[in-house]
């Protein structure tokens, strides 16, 4: 495990190192980024573990959101999604703690397989509920589909690369996978910020089925009073009748208005959060080429010992699949670093 090569600049840095060095972090900025992003992911998943109970899920969801989750494949889908992705997100945080990777290798490997399996299950559940999630608009269905595909493809590439001992590519694709998945936290922040903004503006409306509006309000007379268009629904003349609901989270006259305000910005928040995280992780990977090069040199050594060809590029690398210049091994800067990584894949 790599240790800081330079003495601390001041007492604050010295004190901080006493906190993050035992966790295996050699650079302070890596610990800060881990604390922010994976701390947020862990907090988010822990706060939502209560939703593994379907009753608690409906109590904590946006008004009217549980209408489509009561029966059928969508009820199964939301249960499968939460039962898979919540424990996967929690366990994934431990995969990025260096001291666990270096000193608890068996746990790291077994936990990795469990995380991948749970993630695949959770993604399948998300696809099952995409049609009606937060209104189920086409932009929402497309966003959920894209995020799920990006997540699963990244996990698959990470798995393929680690089996080929291409450690630097395994690192890159696992980071991508969980930054994509972690965009759900940023999504929620954007979603409810936008909900407050459009509520203040007071000029946003959403079309909603009268059946969902009635379920949300819970009083047929009150529903008919607020939404006369739903008369055809209650009379049976048009069971799929829809009505226009004002989006207002701050001064809502009914739960349906609060539900509309919460769901309207979901598509916007989904695409914006995913774009922010996708760009952010690429920036991070390009700002840490030394770490990637260190891991690739070790990958070369391990692949050479395993008889893989070409050594150093036995996995899915740019010089093997694209027109990048052929990679050549370089001396590792630290024997201690090499030794720690050897233990990781041995």
């Amino acid at each position: 495990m790599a240790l800081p090569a330079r003495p601390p600049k001041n007492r604050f840095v010295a004190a901080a190192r006493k906190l993050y060095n035992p966790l295996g972090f050699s650079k302070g900025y890596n610990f800060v980024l881990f604390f922010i992003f994976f701390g947020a992911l862990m907090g988010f998943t822990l706060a939502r573990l209560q939703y593994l109970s379907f009753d608690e899920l409906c109590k904590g969801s946006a008004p009217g959101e549980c209408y489509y989750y009561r029966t059928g494949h969508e009820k199964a889908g939301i249960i499968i999604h939460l039962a898979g992705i919540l424990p996967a997100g929690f366990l994934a945080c431990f995969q990025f703690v260096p001291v666990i990777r270096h000193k608890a290798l068996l746990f790291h490997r077994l936990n990795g397989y469990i995380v991948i399996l749970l993630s695949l299950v959770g993604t399948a559940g998300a696809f099952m509920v995409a049609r009606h999630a937060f209104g189920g608009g086409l932009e929402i269905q497309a966003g959920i589909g894209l995020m799920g595909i990006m997540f699963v493809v990244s996990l698959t590439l990470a798995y393929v690369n680690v089996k080929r001992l291409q450690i630097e590519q395994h690192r890159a694709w696992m980071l991508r996978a969980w930054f994509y998945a972690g965009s759900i936290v940023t999504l929620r922040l954007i979603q409810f910020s936008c909900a407050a903004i459009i509520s203040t503006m007071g000029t946003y409306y959403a079309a909603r089925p009268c059946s969902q509006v009635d379920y949300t309000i819970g009083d047929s007379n009150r529903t008919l009073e607020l939404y006369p268009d739903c008369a055809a629904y209650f009379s049976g003349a048009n069971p799929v009748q829809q009505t226009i609901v004002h989006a207002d989270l701050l001064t809502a006259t009914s739960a349906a208005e609060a539900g509309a305000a919460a769901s309207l910005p979901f598509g916007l928040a989904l695409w914006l959060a995913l774009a922010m995280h996708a760009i952010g992780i690429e920036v991070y990977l390009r700002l840490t080429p030394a770490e990637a090069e260190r891991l690739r040199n070790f990958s070369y050594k391990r692949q050479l010992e395993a008889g893989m060809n070409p050594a150093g590029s036995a996995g899915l690398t740019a010089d093997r699949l694209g027109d990048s210049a052929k990679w050549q091994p370089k001396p590792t800067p630290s024997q201690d670093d090499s030794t720690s990584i050897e233990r990781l894949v041995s």
Side-chain angles (χ1 to χ4, degrees), residues 114-180:
I114 293 171
V115 166
I116 290 176
L117 178 60
L118 289 173
S119 298
L120 295 177
V121 170
T123 304
F127 289 157
M128 293 171 68
V129 302
R131 173 61 185 89
H132 291 112
F134 285 97
L138 292 177
E139 79 285 359
I140 293 175
Q141 296 180 56
I144 292 175
L146 178 62
M147 181 189 291
I149 291 170
M150 291 170 66
F151 183 47
V152 170
V153 169
S154 296
L155 289 174
T156 302
L157 292 175
Y159 175 79
V160 170
N161 276 294
V162 79
K163 300 304 286 186
R164 298 293 298 170
L165 302 179
Q166 202 71 49
I167 309 303
E168 87 286 351
Q169 291 299 319
H170 172 70
R171 163 187 176 260
W173 285 109
M174 271 301 179
L175 282 170
R176 288 187 178 105
W178 285 103
F179 262 72
Y180 300 155

Side-chain angles (χ1 to χ4, degrees), residues 118 137 169 172-173 190 198 280 309 325 340:
L118 289 173
Q169 291 299 319
W173 285 109
I190 298 172
I198 66 175
N309 188 45
S340 67

Side-chain angles (χ1 to χ4, degrees), residues 53-55 57-59 61-79 82 128-129 132-133 209-220 233 239:
S53 164
F54 186 77
D55 291 338
L57 168 66
C58 289
K59 291 178 183 177
S61 297
E65 186 65 14
C66 255
Y67 172 73
Y68 292 104
Y69 299 156
R70 296 173 300 164
T71 59
H73 75 278
E74 288 182 288
K75 180 175 183 179
I78 194 65
I79 292 174
L82 295 175
M128 293 171 68
V129 302
H132 291 112
C210 288
S211 56
Q212 183 184 22
V213 173
D214 183 45
Y215 167 83
T216 305
I217 295 176
D219 185 332
S220 299
Y233 164 74

Side-chain angles (χ1 to χ4, degrees), residues 1-3 101-102 105 167 291 293-302 305 330-346:
M1 184 161 39
L3 294 176
R101 295 200 305 269
H102 298 311
L105 303 183
I167 309 303
E291 177 67 7
E293 185 66 19
R294 181 177 70 86
L295 291 175
R296 188 158 190 181
N297 274 282
F298 176 71
S299 297
Y300 166 79
K301 179 179 178 181
R302 294 295 297 168
E305 293 172 350
K330 298 177 183 178
T332 54
S334 170
Q335 182 64 34
D336 290 340
D337 290 356
S338 176
T339 302
S340 67
I341 302 298
E342 285 180 14
R343 296 179 58 205
L344 175 61
V345 298
S346 61

